[in-house]
Amino acid sequence: MKIPHKLTIINDPIYGFITIPKGLIFDLIQHNYFQRLRRISQMGMSYLVYPGAHHTRFHHAIGCLHIMQKALEKLQQKGVMVSLQEKEAAMAAILLHDIGHGPFSHAMENSIVEHINHEQIGLLFIEKLNEEFNGSLTLAIKIFKGTYHRPFLHQLVSGQLDMDRTDYLKRDSFYTGMAEGNINTDRILAMLNVKDDQLMVEEKGIYTIEKFLVARRLMYWQVYLHKTSLVAEQVLVRVLMRAKELTNKGVELPASRPLGFFLKKTNAEGKFDDHALEVFAQLDDYDVISAMKSWCDHDDFVLRKLSQIIINRKLPRIKIKKKPFASDFIQEQKEAVKKLLNLSDNEADYFVFTGTITNQAYTLKKEAINILTKKGKVVDVVSASDQLSLKALSKVITKNYICYPKHLI
């Protein structure tokens, strides 16, 4: 006879006490796949800029679960019919929405795990869990994929005003100390409504949504796209790329078994079999940090120096501007590095590189944030707002960057 577990409460610094529902949700949290998120950084390398930003995907997922539960309860209080099955499925979907993230959140999918992103890996994890839990996640998968006939449930999981963004803005603001991102979560949840199974915001909540969108824009420029965070993540990506390049040439690198597996594995078709998924489930930040510490003494100059750059926080210079950098300037930097460090063209590309960043707080082409007026009309938030700034927030801002060594390495 299975003894039911006692009530589980988590003390969260953002929301206070969070009660974990018994049954499926509790069992999912206890699963090894989910517990791995304790060892995956929520904000990648941002802790090199904001020392407090050491929170994990586990923190974030539990927070999302909590506010999803509160959001559904608010909607039920307003007469929106949500069955127990739909409520549990929506909570499971938001709980597992980030389960496919690899070490440092985005670094893996841009380096050694090719042609597949964290959303696709996440869906593979959820489908695997569905088999293990005898089909209990079938409805959650439909909500997660947006194929369920009641769109508002998917919009709460993945939309322009979803529980993911609502939690990470407030949580990341707290852990970085950037007050600009501190949104009023309770007010947002209180203003939600549903019409024709589409998620709405009541008219009196429009200023709260404006604040939400402005906070998102500011957090992207000041935190997520901070130039130091950006250069650190790009160097980390190149550490892993160099490690894979050397491995493919037959060089044996010290690495944990899961990391070593993906250094050797090619994924040209973007397919993950069950074995690859199980190995990925054992991979986390600690594998990468431990490997970089050992690579700091490696014979290969590029791998050694890039690893030292991260471990010792001796980051390259980064310049950001609206216009692309002149090809002559880029080549000049590469030639200087080649000469200084006696590198080949390929090796110099690891130390001098360019790219672009974009910021768009609100996407007009995507499912809109709809405002429900007192007369029952549905209006896009940009049209309903008297703030001209919201139109500006819907524009894609693109900036260019170049990274190169500050001085002699």
Side-chain angles (χ1 to χ4, degrees):
M1 179 180 175
K2 188 177 179 181
I3 302 174
H5 66 82
K6 61 184 180 181
L7 192 66
T8 300
I9 295 174
I10 293 175
N11 192 359
D12 182 72
I14 309 298
Y15 308 116
F17 291 118
I18 295 175
T19 302
I20 305 301
K22 295 179 181 179
L24 176 64
I25 300 298
F26 177 84
D27 292 340
L28 288 171
I29 292 172
Q30 291 291 90
H31 198 280
N32 292 347
Y33 290 171
F34 190 81
Q35 288 294 317
R36 181 184 72 97
L37 297 182
R38 291 182 183 271
R39 304 184 300 278
I40 303 290
S41 170
Q42 169 72 11
M43 293 182 63
M45 305 301 294
S46 291
Y47 68 88
L48 292 178
V49 181
Y50 302 100
H54 275 287
H55 55 304
T56 66
R57 291 277 163 186
F58 182 91
H59 292 108
H60 168 57
I62 295 295
C64 289
L65 170 71
H66 174 67
I67 58 175
M68 173 65 84
Q69 187 174 23
K70 288 184 70 175
L72 293 172
E73 287 170 357
K74 291 287 184 184
L75 293 175
Q76 285 177 311
Q77 290 168 10
K78 294 179 181 181
V80 178
M81 296 301 295
V82 182
S83 69
L84 289 174
Q85 292 79 9
E86 288 172 331
K87 186 174 182 179
E88 183 178 69
M91 289 169 64
I94 196 67
L95 181 72
L96 301 175
H97 78 284
D98 273 346
I99 202 166
H101 272 292
F104 295 101
S105 293
H106 293 284
M108 287 289 291
E109 60 195 271
N110 294 319
S111 54
I112 63 175
V113 179
E114 309 122 320
H115 308 297
I116 188 166
N117 59 37
H118 71 272
E119 287 98 345
Q120 294 166 312
I121 296 173
L123 188 55
L124 292 175
F125 273 128
I126 297 171
E127 288 170 345
K128 190 77 174 173
L129 286 167
N130 195 34
E131 291 176 19
E132 192 173 324
F133 285 87
N134 302 314
S136 299
L137 292 172
T138 301
L139 180 53
I141 290 172
K142 289 181 180 178
I143 292 171
F144 185 82
K145 293 166 73 173
T147 59
Y148 190 56
H149 70 276
R150 304 190 74 188
F152 80 91
L153 292 170
H154 173 71
Q155 290 162 356
L156 286 169
V157 174
S158 179
Q160 297 206 75
L161 185 61
D162 57 31
M163 300 303 98
D164 175 29
R165 293 181 181 186
T166 305
D167 179 81
Y168 78 58
L169 282 176
K170 192 171 185 69
R171 187 169 300 278
D172 295 349
S173 168
F174 175 85
Y175 280 100
T176 58
M178 295 301 294
E180 289 86 347
N182 187 16
I183 57 173
N184 189 340
T185 308
D186 289 336
R187 173 91 177 152
I188 290 173
L189 300 183
M191 293 298 105
L192 294 179
N193 212 326
V194 171
K195 182 179 181 181
D196 299 329
D197 279 326
Q198 297 285 339
L199 190 65
M200 306 281 161
V201 177
E202 293 171 0
E203 188 174 11
K204 57 189 175 183
I206 190 168
Y207 298 118
T208 305
I209 304 308
E210 288 175 356
K211 168 69 164 59
F212 167 85
L213 293 174
V214 170
R216 189 163 185 265
R217 178 179 181 273
L218 294 175
M219 283 293 284
Y220 265 86
W221 283 136
Q222 292 185 275
V223 178
Y224 307 128
L225 297 176
H226 188 287
K227 64 178 185 177
T228 308
S229 300
L230 176 63
V231 72
E233 181 164 321
Q234 289 301 316
V235 171
L236 175 60
V237 167
R238 281 157 180 79
V239 170
L240 296 172
M241 288 171 62
R242 182 61 172 181
K244 184 143 193 165
E245 182 184 347
L246 293 173
T247 302
N248 289 339
K249 290 179 179 178
V251 179
E252 283 291 330
L253 296 178
S256 67
R257 189 185 67 83
L259 181 57
F261 175 87
F262 284 103
L263 288 175
K264 293 172 185 174
K265 178 180 171 59
T266 55
N267 194 40
E269 297 179 1
K271 292 181 179 177
F272 253 44
D273 57 23
D274 283 351
H275 178 60
L277 195 66
E278 286 303 319
V279 177
F280 190 86
Q282 300 167 33
L283 193 62
D284 55 51
D285 291 8
Y286 295 91
D287 296 274
V288 175
I289 288 289
S290 178
M292 284 194 295
K293 286 175 70 178
S294 62
W295 296 343
C296 283
D297 298 315
H298 197 268
D299 292 340
D300 180 72
F301 175 83
V302 175
L303 183 65
R304 180 173 74 249
K305 286 301 177 185
L306 291 176
S307 298
Q308 290 172 354
I309 282 170
I310 294 291
I311 295 297
N312 300 321
R313 200 188 180 279
K314 304 294 185 183
L315 299 171
R317 185 182 301 281
I318 179 171
K319 286 187 176 181
I320 299 177
K321 66 176 187 176
K322 291 183 180 179
K323 293 182 179 180
F325 289 89
S327 55
D328 290 348
F329 175 73
I330 299 169
Q331 193 57 38
E332 182 184 317
Q333 298 303 317
K334 286 186 179 179
E335 290 298 329
V337 168
K338 281 171 61 181
K339 185 177 179 181
L340 177 68
L341 304 175
N342 193 26
L343 302 177
S344 67
D345 286 336
N346 174 55
E347 291 170 336
D349 287 341
Y350 283 102
F351 294 98
V352 180
F353 49 88
T354 60
T356 60
I357 53 175
T358 59
N359 188 357
Q360 185 179 23
Y362 182 66
T363 309
L364 291 172
K365 293 180 181 178
K366 203 175 177 182
E367 284 185 344
I369 297 177
N370 285 320
I371 303 298
L372 183 63
T373 68
K374 293 173 183 176
K375 295 181 179 179
K377 291 184 178 180
V378 178
V379 187
D380 181 283
V381 66
V382 173
S383 302
S385 172
D386 56 9
Q387 291 285 334
L388 294 175
S389 60
L390 283 199
K391 274 190 179 174
L393 293 181
S394 65
K395 293 180 181 178
V396 180
I397 307 298
T398 301
K399 294 184 180 181
N400 300 272
Y401 67 83
I402 182 171
C403 303
Y404 55 94
K406 284 183 180 176
H407 31 248
L408 295 179
I409 298 180

